[in-house]
Amino acid sequence: MEKDTSFLLTGIKFNKKRFAGDFSRFKKRKQRNDDGPVDDLSYFKREDTEAEKVVVSVNKKRKRKTKAERVEGFSVFKGSDSVPVVTDEGSEQEESNQKELNRQNERDLRLRKKYGIHVSGNNVPSPLQSFAELSTRYGCESYLLHNLVKLGFKEPTPIQRQAIPVLLSGRECFAKAPTGSGKTLAFVYPMLMKLKQPSKDGIRAVILCHTRELAAQTTRECKKMAKGSKFRIKLMTKELLRNTDFTKLPCDILISTPRRLQLCISKKKKKIDLSRVEYLVLDESDKLFERSLLEQTDSVVKACSNPSIIRSLFSATLPGFVEDVARTVMHDAVRVIVGDKNAASESIKQKLIFAGSEEGKLLALRQSFSESLNPPMLIFVQSIERAEELYGELKFDSIRVGVIHSNLSQEQRESVIDDFRAGKTWVLIATDVLGRGMDFKGVKCVINYDFPDCAASYIHRIGRSGRAGRIGEAITFYTEHDIPYLRNIANVMTASGCEVPSWLMDMPKKKWKKHCPRRESISTKPKDQEE
Ligand SMILES: Nc1ncnc2c1ncn2[C@@H]1O[C@H](COP(=O)(O)OP(=O)(O)OP(=O)(O)O)[C@@H](O)[C@H]1O
């Protein structure tokens, strides 16, 4: 791995006043100059430095000399490493290497078990014991370590522990981990590390997100992580799409929805060239492979025609059909699963409430507001019409409420999100347009005013609370319409460690098709008084 990190350090300004604590830690060690590289990794707690030394030495020795070991599980994707056993050293040395390797495998297994990481694939790289290993094992640039310090991240989350080494070792990756568990960093960091420095060779990395809101959020996060480098990170906006000569776009990393990128690909003139893309991430991959987005996603995947491209798929839900699609496009991929396959985040307290009728839901909502309103809060409904109806009901109550759905203009959507992030609105009513990926740090409670249309939608919606290990709460209203699907939610609750009454578990299972029943209007106003 590349160790020379100096070229990206010029120009990094480390605010000594603001990060006095961190600075004093770094100052003790060798420095090139005041704003020089981070040489002290003590900020990142190390669990086992001896083990780390072994990792480095084993990794050096591994270089395709030992037989293709299988760390765990089975090979799900086309494997390329049926490497023959090569013995070119004395048998003593071979034996000691093998012992070292076995010890390392045991350590990997223990670490994976501790963090609930399950892997499948050939030669899966060892999980990270600490962020410090990004430097000791992979020669991570100092600015990236600075940024971790600034973000206040001390320990990698389980998905980061495993997915980062997989991607850094140049393997394609297919990952599922709970909502709010830091998947964004898990794909952005290795991307920044592998790209190394900006280049004028065209777009080298693409991140696809299913909504504009998520694309904007990911762009912001990516810029935070890349601070101190000169990478050109661009969000595909409407303006960019309309007014840009893509043959001249100065951009290293492009973040877009599939629809906008497809439009750029199919432009007649000055169209975008994705043939040099080295890294392609499909975030919320199961959503991107749903029928409504599949064609657009597919055309982007095809346009990224570089034969040595590394693709990765990330989501909190992993249905079988996504694995099937992945099998057809990925090569020698590693599958990483954190936690139970069908579970929501364990830090969310989940409740089901029988509301009887539509009127009952509104009463229950108002009652819960009057007892304890714990903003910021998200309320999910099943359609645009119902979002507007509920907004019409709540906007005259004494709470600050907003509404978001796909019928609003981009400017309106942005301003609603900004107001919610800034605390100007306390309660945000949303359709599923906001159900996935969005990271509103303070959201303590999610209410499913309307029952979700599938288990994945339930897991993602409630995952807007309880992020980054914080405690969250999720309340789901149900009426007679929803009873046949209660058992499906109960299964998710059980898998996530929630207590579920036995009568619920005794209910029959029903195959969940898109559940979106006709519901009575939310509005309590007579029709002739509606605006
Ligand atoms: N190592 C870390 N330590 C502490 N917090 C972290 C760490 N990594 C990421 N975070 C924070 O965790 C939060 C959730 O991260 P992120 O949005 O990437 O989750 P996610 O797994 O993509 O969730 P979702 O499935 O809902 O999209 C963010 O606020 C992020 O800043």
Side-chain angles (χ1 to χ4, degrees):
M1 285 291 154
E2 192 73 54
K3 284 267 178 192
D4 181 16
T5 61
S6 56
F7 58 88
L8 272 169
L9 297 168
T10 41
I12 293 177
K13 288 272 175 276
F14 194 59
N15 186 334
K16 285 184 244 170
K17 237 184 201 169
R18 190 159 161 224
F19 300 105
D22 299 322
F23 187 74
S24 64
R25 274 196 292 273
F26 298 137
K27 209 173 140 196
K28 287 181 213 141
R29 303 290 193 272
K30 184 188 118 211
Q31 285 183 342
R32 198 159 298 180
N33 55 44
D34 274 355
D35 296 318
V38 179
D39 287 333
D40 186 342
L41 301 170
S42 62
Y43 174 84
F44 306 112
K45 200 175 97 213
R46 286 172 163 193
E47 287 180 358
D48 185 352
T49 43
E50 269 316 299
E52 210 171 273
K53 282 180 209 153
V54 177
V55 177
V56 180
S57 84
V58 169
N59 279 345
K60 276 184 194 155
K61 282 170 191 162
R62 257 188 195 173
K63 288 193 179 166
R64 293 193 175 255
K65 269 186 182 175
T66 55
K67 68 182 164 202
E69 89 271 35
R70 299 204 167 182
V71 177
E72 255 181 56
F74 49 92
S75 169
V76 271
F77 301 112
K78 290 167 266 176
S80 66
D81 64 346
S82 49
V83 183
V85 182
V86 183
T87 49
D88 57 348
E89 288 173 17
S91 59
E92 249 175 52
Q93 185 58 44
E94 269 305 307
E95 206 176 298
S96 116
N97 286 352
Q98 191 55 50
K99 275 187 186 157
E100 227 168 42
L101 203 55
N102 291 344
R103 277 198 293 272
Q104 184 55 47
N105 284 345
E106 278 167 28
R107 264 193 297 272
D108 292 352
L109 281 172
R110 273 202 302 275
L111 205 61
R112 289 191 185 113
K113 195 164 173 217
K114 181 172 171 189
Y115 293 106
I117 302 168
H118 309 277
V119 294
S120 317
N122 298 310
N123 294 320
V124 180
S126 302
L128 292 177
Q129 304 199 47
S130 67
F131 277 135
E133 280 187 19
L134 288 178
S135 175
T136 55
R137 248 166 90 181
Y138 295 104
C140 170
E141 315 285 358
S142 301
Y143 81 92
L144 281 166
L145 295 176
H146 276 312
N147 293 344
L148 284 177
V149 175
K150 281 189 221 162
L151 289 165
F153 300 164
K154 293 191 170 158
E155 285 288 310
T157 62
I159 186 63
Q160 293 164 1
R161 284 179 195 276
Q162 187 60 77
I164 293 177
V166 167
L167 290 168
L168 285 177
S169 64
R171 301 282 293 279
E172 298 205 305
C173 176
F174 181 76
K176 181 231 159 253
T179 52
S181 66
K183 292 187 284 294
T184 315
L185 188 146
F187 58 74
V188 170
Y189 256 72
M191 181 184 280
L192 294 170
M193 284 173 71
K194 294 288 270 186
L195 291 179
K196 292 196 177 93
Q197 57 184 323
S199 116
K200 293 196 172 119
D201 288 344
I203 298 160
R204 292 165 65 208
V206 168
I207 303 175
L208 274 193
C209 304
H210 73 298
T211 59
R212 297 171 212 162
E213 284 73 20
L214 184 58
Q217 176 182 289
T218 304
T219 309
R220 225 182 18 251
E221 292 304 305
C222 200
K223 284 182 177 169
K224 271 190 220 162
M225 294 177 205
K227 202 157 182 211
S229 72
K230 297 213 163 67
F231 283 120
R232 290 143 319 168
I233 299 165
K234 294 241 152 52
L235 170 67
M236 179 66 79
T237 58
K238 205 164 50 180
E239 293 68 43
L240 199 69
L241 178 60
R242 277 203 200 124
N243 309 324
T244 307
D245 174 354
F246 285 106
T247 57
K248 294 187 182 137
L249 180 71
C251 173
D252 297 290
I253 302 175
L254 181 66
I255 298 142
S256 175
T257 60
R259 181 171 158 66
R260 285 196 172 154
L261 205 42
Q262 188 194 32
L263 290 171
C264 301
I265 294 165
S266 54
K267 269 188 166 198
K268 290 219 169 68
K269 285 183 190 160
K270 298 172 182 172
K271 68 177 185 180
I272 206 159
D273 177 11
L274 298 180
S275 66
R276 291 176 188 218
V277 171
E278 296 162 43
Y279 300 94
L280 171 65
V281 177
L282 307 188
D283 194 13
E284 306 296 345
S285 46
D286 49 333
K287 189 75 195 170
L288 294 176
F289 286 134
E290 275 183 10
R291 200 177 299 155
S292 58
L293 292 172
L294 181 61
E295 198 201 311
Q296 297 154 20
T297 304
D298 194 44
S299 61
V300 174
V301 173
K302 279 191 188 128
C304 296
S305 56
N306 182 347
S308 49
I309 190 169
I310 304 293
R311 288 155 301 194
S312 54
L313 274 54
F314 281 81
S315 184
T317 44
L318 177 67
F321 83 94
V322 179
E323 285 209 36
D324 294 342
V325 177
R327 255 190 218 107
T328 65
V329 294
M330 296 179 107
H331 185 76
D332 194 20
V334 176
R335 177 168 67 172
V336 182
I337 294 184
V338 176
D340 195 301
K341 221 175 159 187
N342 221 351
S345 165
E346 285 181 8
S347 61
I348 306 166
K349 206 167 115 197
Q350 302 171 51
K351 274 191 216 157
L352 285 164
I353 293 182
F354 181 61
S357 61
E358 286 305 318
E359 216 182 322
K361 284 185 187 175
L362 201 53
L363 277 171
L365 187 66
R366 287 201 163 115
Q367 171 121 4
S368 86
F369 285 168
S370 66
E371 281 166 6
S372 72
L373 179 64
N374 205 0
M377 178 190 270
L378 272 165
I379 303 180
F380 285 103
V381 290
Q382 71 183 35
S383 66
I384 296 171
E385 195 188 359
R386 289 176 65 77
E388 284 296 341
E389 280 176 8
L390 187 58
Y391 178 65
E393 282 296 317
L394 297 183
K395 71 180 172 190
F396 298 116
D397 293 6
S398 56
I399 48 167
R400 294 189 196 161
V401 64
V403 64
I404 187 160
H405 50 68
S406 55
N407 259 11
L408 301 182
S409 68
Q410 184 169 343
E411 292 68 30
Q412 285 170 320
R413 277 161 71 162
E414 275 167 19
S415 125
V416 170
I417 298 277
D418 290 347
D419 284 354
F420 189 57
R421 284 200 199 279
K424 289 185 192 162
T425 45
W426 304 337
V427 174
L428 185 55
I429 301 165
T431 56
D432 279 317
V433 73
L434 232 60
R436 281 173 176 254
M438 297 305 290
D439 185 48
F440 302 111
K441 287 189 182 56
V443 171
K444 296 181 186 81
C445 180
V446 168
I447 295 186
N448 284 318
Y449 192 87
D450 289 338
F451 210 74
D453 66 359
C454 62
S457 156
Y458 176 76
I459 291 168
H460 287 278
R461 278 180 177 188
I462 70 169
R464 296 319 95 211
S465 74
R467 299 182 70 73
R470 294 183 189 91
I471 301 294
E473 188 182 19
I475 298 168
T476 302
F477 291 154
Y478 67 96
T479 63
E480 296 290 339
H481 286 302
D482 312 308
I483 288 176
Y485 301 98
L486 271 185
R487 170 67 195 276
N488 304 54
I489 296 293
N491 285 349
V492 176
M493 290 170 76
T494 320
S496 348
C498 287
E499 265 185 42
V500 176
S502 56
W503 64 265
L504 240 176
M505 293 312 286
D506 292 341
M507 290 183 78
K509 279 188 198 162
K510 184 164 161 107
K511 196 163 162 38
W512 198 326
K513 297 202 192 91
K514 285 275 173 193
H515 171 62
C516 212
R518 277 186 72 84
R519 299 182 191 272
E520 273 171 43
S521 164
I522 295 174
S523 179
T524 53
K525 289 184 206 134
K527 280 270 171 236
D528 54 4
Q529 282 181 28
E530 276 180 7
E531 291 156 38

